[in-house]
Amino acid sequence: MRRIKDALMSQLHTKANRYRNWYHLFMSMNLRLSESLAKSLKALSKETGKSQQELAREAIAEYVTHYKLLRFPPEIRHMIIPAEREFGEFYSENPVTLPPGVTSDEIMRDLRKDRL
């Protein structure tokens, strides 16, 4: 009887840990909005076709990403905003293939002719 009780307790403990781990990975929260903000969010949701939760998540992600930038003056803030893409992504979308016998050095020389 003791073994059965221990096995059941072990299963309950495992399920409780699984829930705790899940909760910490994907936190849920309640968000209380003013009536006007709730109406605006609902209207935006209908307009964009996105759920209200998705819009709230996007807004929070944007705020968290750019929060540290708010202490900089607006005149220079635009120069330090993080890039939307990783550096290598710009080159992977539209690779350029040069014609046979043409090198990138020759192209650069041709483009700079008027500057030299």
Side-chain angles (χ1 to χ4, degrees):
M1 186 68 156
R2 178 95 171 130
R3 284 164 91 181
I4 294 172
K5 185 178 176 185
D6 288 345
L8 287 174
M9 291 304 289
S10 175
Q11 286 178 353
L12 286 174
H13 190 266
T14 302
K15 286 182 181 180
N17 281 341
R18 196 175 311 146
Y19 172 76
R20 282 187 198 105
N21 290 338
W22 179 85
Y23 182 79
H24 289 293
L25 286 175
F26 307 103
M27 186 182 81
S28 63
M29 63 183 282
N30 292 325
L31 183 62
R32 287 165 180 71
L33 303 173
S34 67
E35 206 171 307
S36 63
L37 189 56
K39 285 180 182 178
S40 298
L41 182 61
K42 194 171 196 172
L44 185 62
S45 174
K46 286 181 181 177
E47 183 182 322
T48 60
K50 295 180 179 182
S51 71
Q52 292 179 34
Q53 284 187 355
E54 188 176 356
L55 292 171
R57 277 193 299 267
E58 288 175 3
I60 291 169
E62 179 79 15
Y63 183 81
V64 168
T65 302
H66 297 293
Y67 174 76
K68 291 180 182 175
L69 299 174
L70 296 177
R71 67 176 175 237
F72 293 100
E75 303 83 43
I76 64 166
R77 195 178 303 153
H78 71 280
M79 293 187 277
I80 53 177
I81 291 177
E84 299 276 329
R85 300 177 175 190
E86 293 294 322
F87 179 72
E89 287 183 50
F90 289 105
Y91 301 104
S92 61
E93 284 181 5
N94 300 316
V96 176
T97 52
L98 297 175
V102 177
T103 65
S104 58
D105 289 335
E106 292 171 0
I107 294 172
M108 292 305 292
R109 246 183 266 119
D110 286 345
L111 291 172
R112 292 180 181 157
K113 276 182 185 175
D114 59 338
R115 296 184 200 170
L116 298 175

